[in-house]
Every structure is written in structure tokens, then in C-alpha cells.
Amino acid sequence: MARDRRRLTAWLLAGLVLAVVLALYDADRTGVGEPSAGPCPDNALQCPGGPPPPGPTPSASPSADPSADPSASGGPGPSASTPPVSATPSPGTGPAPGGPCSSPGACGFPDARTTGPRIALERHDTGDMSVKTDGMVIKGWDIRGSLDVYANDVTVIDSRITSTNWWGINLRPGFSGLRVLHTTITAVPGKGPDNGGVDYAVSNMGGSSIEVGWCDVSVFGNALSMGQGEIHDNYVHDIVPFRNQGGEWQHTDAVISGGGNKGRLTVRHNTLLNPVPVHQGASAAIGLFADTGSVSSVVVDGNWLAGGAYALYGGGPGATGIQVTDNVFSAQYHANAGAYGLVAAWNAGGSGNLWRGNRTADGRPVVPEPPP
């Protein structure tokens, strides 16, 4: 009797172990117990199940880029309205530990892999479309046309815009809250009014901050144009030079601000490339110009900058509250980042102006020289 009881207990234990093994096998095979990859929320920084967003800029200093672009020699000098302030890298320190760094992506800066839409797109031949519905969300659209926004709190996310207009997305005066995230914005070179004219991938004509993040931007001559807003984690590249119908080359900038802004402009952790030769209109990777008023309240932090006449125009004599920190000036197109140098129009004595931690791609400190 005791032997039968022990035999029954052994069979019950063996059956229990077998049931547990089968349950674990089935869970592993079907994915039970793991969260499923649902739809990407409208405000998501990362889609469920998708690749992680790009991390912060590493502290290691990158090494030198390819040699200068010989096509830039012999071009015209900068405009007389922004007197040049040359900047030469200070001799001394080499790159910090962390190994060589030959490209923005290798250094943790945005590139084609970390920007643009994260989901499949559906074609929308909208033409030049006016958006007039507050809170509208445009998601998953492959747009052939442009967006002119006459509404508040519009979001464009995980989309692509191919424009033949002066702009890809334009926020009109009197409206606010535009967000453009994980979107590719490009154009057809030479198309649109005045052969493209003065064109913008994203333009903020409104009176408040907008956000542009994780976007892949190309072709447009003045790619991101605004006096206030949050520009972060974008990849601006392959700007195309063009002449207007009068035969004049149009100026090109990866980021441009004309001054007179009321709010803060933050330009953080972007890759900003301006490959255009200066004789075809190149101005800057970041151009802070006092065209419509004094430049103030701007943060330029942790960006990879290359190209232009100068890689950075710093706002001019009246600029205040300009913080330029921890940026990398790359020799991708020119030996000194820009055709004529690294930085011009920096007002070292302006109230609240700060220059700190900026370096060349091979790790040498960049310190603006005083004006002559």
C-alpha cells in the first residue's frame, strides 16, 4: 500500500514537471508574457517595439574629418553687415579618450538612421495644403506638396514631405504649438516660385515656440528658420544651391534666425551640414543674424557643425544671452569648418553671452578671436 502511494506521488510530480515545461515552451514560441508592439502613439518619442531613440552626445572628443573642399576657394567674403571674427583652434590638447570619430553618426550625432519616419507611409498627393483644424495630427503620410498651418497645436509625426513650394511646413502668424517630429522634409531642386526663391523646410512665422525633432531635412536652402523654438536631434544635409529667376545665388543655412525674437531659441544635439560652396551662396551651418532686430536668448548646445562661409555666425555686436556650448566644428567640407573660419560675429562682451567647451573634430578647443 505504501509502495503504491509512493508510485502515485512520483507519477503526479512527473506530470506536474511536464506541464510546466510545456507551458514555458508554448510561452516562448507564441510570445506570451511579452508586451506586443502596438500602434505608435501620436506623441511617442519611440514606437513600441521599435529601435531606441538616439542617446546623448558622448563626452569623447572626435578625431579629424576628411580634408577641405577645394571648390570653396576664391569665393566672396562675408557680408559687410556682419564683420568677420576669425577663430583659430588653440594648439595643445588632442582628442579625449574614446577612439577616432570619422562621422557624425559614429560620434553619437543624428544621421539618416536616427531621424525620419519610423512607420510605413501612405501616399497623399495634397499639393500645397492649408491646415486649419486645431489639434490636427498628420501621421504616416507621404505628402507630395507642402503644409501651410493656420491652426494651433498641429502635430506632424512619422511622415515625409516632398515640396515644390517655398516651404515644407510653414506656421502662419497668430498661431502656435506646431510640432514636427520624426519626419523627412525635402524638396525638388529648382521647383516652386522664383526657381525656389528663399525657401525653408520648416518656417515659424508664429509668435511662440515650435518643436522640430528627429527630422531628416535636405535640399531647402534655409532649412530650419525661426527666431524661437526647440530644434533638436535633427539631421540637416545635402542643401542644394540655386539661382533665382534674376540669376542670383540664394544664401544657404542649415539653421537661420533673423533676430528680433521674443522667446528662446534652442538648437541642441543636431547634425547641421552646409556643403554649398561660398561662391554659390553658402552662409553658415548656424546663422544668427540681426536682420530684423537684435539676436537674444539663444542656446546652441552639443551640435555637429560643418560648412558655410563660417560654420557659426554668433549674432553680431548687439547679441545678448547667447550660449554656445559643447559643439563640434567639423572639417568635413573646409579645414576650419567654414570656408573662412569657424565663427564670425561673436560678441564676447554681450550680457549673458557664454562660449564654453566648443572644439574641433580632432579635439582642439575653439576660442573666437577678438574683433580687429
Side-chain angles (χ1 to χ4, degrees), residues 160-366:
R160 177 184 174 90
I161 296 173
T162 304
S163 174
T164 56
N165 201 356
W166 276 339
W167 56 78
I169 305 173
N170 182 35
L171 179 66
R172 288 289 180 171
F175 300 96
S176 63
L178 175 66
R179 302 176 75 210
V180 185
L181 308 174
H182 296 287
T183 293
T184 294
I185 310 168
T186 190
V188 179
K191 296 292 184 180
D194 201 15
N195 293 342
V198 179
D199 58 351
Y200 312 94
V202 181
S203 173
N204 181 10
M205 299 175 67
S208 68
S209 178
I210 70 174
E211 181 184 5
V212 182
W214 301 284
C215 290
D216 183 322
V217 179
S218 62
V219 178
F220 286 97
N222 286 300
L224 302 176
S225 173
M226 61 193 71
Q228 52 197 0
E230 299 284 336
I231 299 174
H232 64 88
D233 300 287
N234 301 290
Y235 175 44
V236 180
H237 61 102
D238 293 311
I239 292 173
V240 174
F242 59 91
R243 299 178 191 264
N244 62 16
Q245 291 180 347
E248 300 169 322
W249 289 108
Q250 299 302 288
H251 290 288
T252 61
D253 302 89
V255 171
I256 185 170
S257 176
N261 52 300
K262 303 301 182 184
R264 178 179 294 275
L265 173 63
T266 300
V267 184
R268 176 171 284 127
H269 195 240
N270 303 277
T271 297
L272 303 174
L273 310 179
N274 187 350
V276 176
V278 289
H279 71 273
Q280 292 182 329
S283 290
I286 298 180
L288 306 178
F289 302 114
D291 295 335
T292 57
S294 297
V295 180
S296 62
S297 300
V298 180
V299 173
V300 178
D301 177 65
N303 301 282
W304 179 283
L305 309 178
Y310 289 86
L312 172 68
Y313 280 84
T320 58
I322 315 298
Q323 300 178 24
V324 181
T325 56
D326 298 324
N327 298 283
V328 175
F329 289 75
S330 165
Q332 184 168 346
Y333 306 115
H334 310 290
N336 281 321
Y340 302 123
L342 294 99
V343 55
W346 173 250
N347 179 16
S351 175
N353 291 351
L354 172 66
W355 185 279
R356 183 186 65 205
N358 302 293
R359 64 193 188 276
T360 62
D362 59 2
R364 293 171 293 155
V366 174

Side-chain angles (χ1 to χ4, degrees), residues 29-53:
R29 183 172 59 85
T30 61
V32 173
E34 297 178 1
S36 60
C40 190
D42 291 334
N43 62 349
L45 302 184
Q46 178 186 354
C47 289

